[in-house]
């Protein structure tokens, strides 16, 4: 038996999830929902890979669920709780489980307590499970850290860094990171909220604190421009010397006056041009001290697509409710339909 999957949103992440789901032995891609009129009504398989499958791209989620009868809807459309909550409710009313890659949904309980209560009620009312996940938040700077503390007798402080390359991402990400702006424009963008840096520090720090029983009193964030010394160019961004190549974003979680969690996330295009190596680094200070180094970084796009796919069985098999990654079995890679090695 395979779990039936409907994907909502066919941007780069949603399309990637759909392609990956279609390969997996335990899953069956039954359709997609999309707002782009040029995609609606087309054969989903032909849109994704040029091969007709008889599965369609719908404009209405209710119609899509009624015709395809999925076990779960994967929502890949938004980053923020307020944006994705109505979509979760629309899908939940049809009694199907929900997985979303919206960053703020990775652990909304502390940052959005009222919305979390609404989501919890939706889950129980319709008997569904709701999970937010992705590479970060959802794995590198929270779940992986939590798992590593399992080998500690005592944990006093955590510091982690994710140094990554923004080059594969599109215009929306460049805009939210301030890539291509002047330092003055970057400052104004931060003040206006147009430049946000990383989305998810509030959620990751709260998830770690909750898992370790730490009472995180406050989370402080700082965002600074990464000024380029060289010319850099991608398909969607062009940065001259003196312009902003990315954002150095830091989140700090405190218990009283004590800094207990520090997450550092500098993101920029083409970091190798200036000798910056990408990587993921976790330092746990306690007994024993544990230091993890992953070089280069775990790719953000592929990692999010993988987690959104691999967690599907765990969400469907979970008890109804608004759940988070640390409550579910350890993520594992689902095998492709052809097993031969």
């Amino acid at each position: 038996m395979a779990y039936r999957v409907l994907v909502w949103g066919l941007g780069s992440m949603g399309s990637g999830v759909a392609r990956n789901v279609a390969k997996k032995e335990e899953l069956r891609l039954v359709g997609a929902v999309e707002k782009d009129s040029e995609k609606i009504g087309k054969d989903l398989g032909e849109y994704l890979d040029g091969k007709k499958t008889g599965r369609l791209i719908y404009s209405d989620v209710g119609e899509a669920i009624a015709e395809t009868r999925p076990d779960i809807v994967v929502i890949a459309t938004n980053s923020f709780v307020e944006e994705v909550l109505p979509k979760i409710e629309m899908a939940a009313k049809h009694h199907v489980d929900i997985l979303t890659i919206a960053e703020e949904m990775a652990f909304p309980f502390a940052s959005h307590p009222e919305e979390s209560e609404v989501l919890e009620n939706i889950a129980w009312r319709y008997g569904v499970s709701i999970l937010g996940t992705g590479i970060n938040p959802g794995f590198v700077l929270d779940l992986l850290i939590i798992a590593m503390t399992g080998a500690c007798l005592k944990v006093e402080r955590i510091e982690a860094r994710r140094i990554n390359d923004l080059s594969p991402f599109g215009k929306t990400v460049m805009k939210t990171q301030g890539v291509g702006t002047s330092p003055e424009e970057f400052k104004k963008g931060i003040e206006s909220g147009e430049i946000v840096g990383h989305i998810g520090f509030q959620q990751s720090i709260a998830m770690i604190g909750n898992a370790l029983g730490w009472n995180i009193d406050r989370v402080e964030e700082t965002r600074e421009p990464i000024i380029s010394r060289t010319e850099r160019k991608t398909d969607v961004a062009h940065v001259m010397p003196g312009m902003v190549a990315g954002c150095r974003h830091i989140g700090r979680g405190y218990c009283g006056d004590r800094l207990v969690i520090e997450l550092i996330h500098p993101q920029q295009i083409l970091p190798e041009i200036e000798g910056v190596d990408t990587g993921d680094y976790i330092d746990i200070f306690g007994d024993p001290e544990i230091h993890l180094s992953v070089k280069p970084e775990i790719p953000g796009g592929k990692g999010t697509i993988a987690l959104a796919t691999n967690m599907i069985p765990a969400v469907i098999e979970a008890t109804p409710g608004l759940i988070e990654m640390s409550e579910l079995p350890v993520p594992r890679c689902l095998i492709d339909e052809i097993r031969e090695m």
Side-chain angles (χ1 to χ4, degrees), residues 24-272:
K24 300 300 178 182
E25 188 176 75
E26 298 179 45
L27 307 176
R28 180 166 298 142
L29 181 65
V30 296
V33 179
E34 172 59 45
K35 66 179 182 181
D36 186 343
S37 59
E38 293 188 3
K39 300 175 186 175
I40 295 167
K42 289 187 175 179
D43 184 282
L44 177 57
E46 187 170 34
Y47 169 74
L48 292 172
D49 295 310
K51 298 177 182 176
K52 287 189 176 182
T53 60
R55 307 298 185 182
L56 297 178
I57 302 174
Y58 299 83
S59 61
D60 181 81
V61 68
E63 179 187 2
I65 292 174
E67 292 195 6
T68 64
R69 299 184 180 280
D71 296 298
I72 191 168
V73 175
V74 176
I75 302 177
T77 58
N78 305 94
S79 294
F80 302 103
V81 170
E82 288 86 352
E83 297 170 333
V84 78
L85 193 155
K87 293 178 178 177
I88 290 173
E89 185 169 23
M90 289 170 66
K93 285 180 177 177
H94 297 274
H95 305 284
V96 295
D97 295 312
I98 295 126
L99 184 154
T100 175
I101 61 171
E103 290 95 326
E104 286 190 344
M105 283 294 297
F107 194 90
F109 309 99
S111 59
H112 297 79
E114 185 169 350
E115 289 85 353
S116 295
E117 185 176 282
V118 172
L119 287 161
E120 189 76 65
N121 290 344
I122 289 171
W124 283 105
R125 184 181 311 138
Y126 298 109
V128 303
S129 299
I130 303 169
L131 173 74
T133 191
I135 191 70
N136 184 39
F139 189 74
V140 173
L141 291 183
D142 38 50
L143 184 67
L144 187 57
I145 293 172
I146 294 168
M148 290 172 59
T149 66
C152 294
L153 300 172
K154 178 175 66 175
V155 177
E156 297 174 346
R157 184 171 66 85
I158 292 165
E159 180 178 320
R161 291 163 289 142
R162 176 163 169 78
I163 302 168
N164 71 323
D165 183 1
L166 290 174
S167 303
F169 294 92
K171 291 182 179 179
T172 300
V173 171
M174 299 301 163
K175 185 175 180 181
T176 59
Q177 296 288 337
V179 176
T181 63
S182 67
E184 294 76 19
E185 291 169 336
F186 183 92
K187 183 180 179 182
K188 290 180 181 176
I190 291 291
E191 292 171 351
S192 69
E194 292 183 1
I195 297 174
V196 297
H198 172 59
I199 302 170
F201 275 146
Q202 298 281 338
Q203 290 70 34
S204 291
I205 290 173
M207 188 192 301
I208 296 168
N210 179 67
L212 298 183
W214 289 349
N215 182 22
I216 303 296
D217 298 309
R218 68 185 190 281
V219 176
E220 297 180 353
E221 299 183 61
T222 61
R223 301 168 181 84
E224 299 174 352
I226 299 173
I227 306 298
S228 185
R229 298 192 303 271
T230 58
E231 182 177 1
R232 311 187 197 187
K233 197 170 186 179
T234 72
D235 291 340
V236 297
H238 187 193
V239 174
M240 297 298 290
M243 295 175 68
V244 176
C247 179
R248 177 180 170 84
H249 194 164
I250 300 174
R252 298 183 176 93
Y254 293 84
C255 289
D257 293 329
R258 189 164 67 95
L259 174 63
V260 292
I261 302 170
E262 185 173 40
L263 305 180
I264 303 167
H265 197 9
Q267 303 187 81
Q268 59 186 297
I269 61 168
L270 302 171
E272 70 278 5

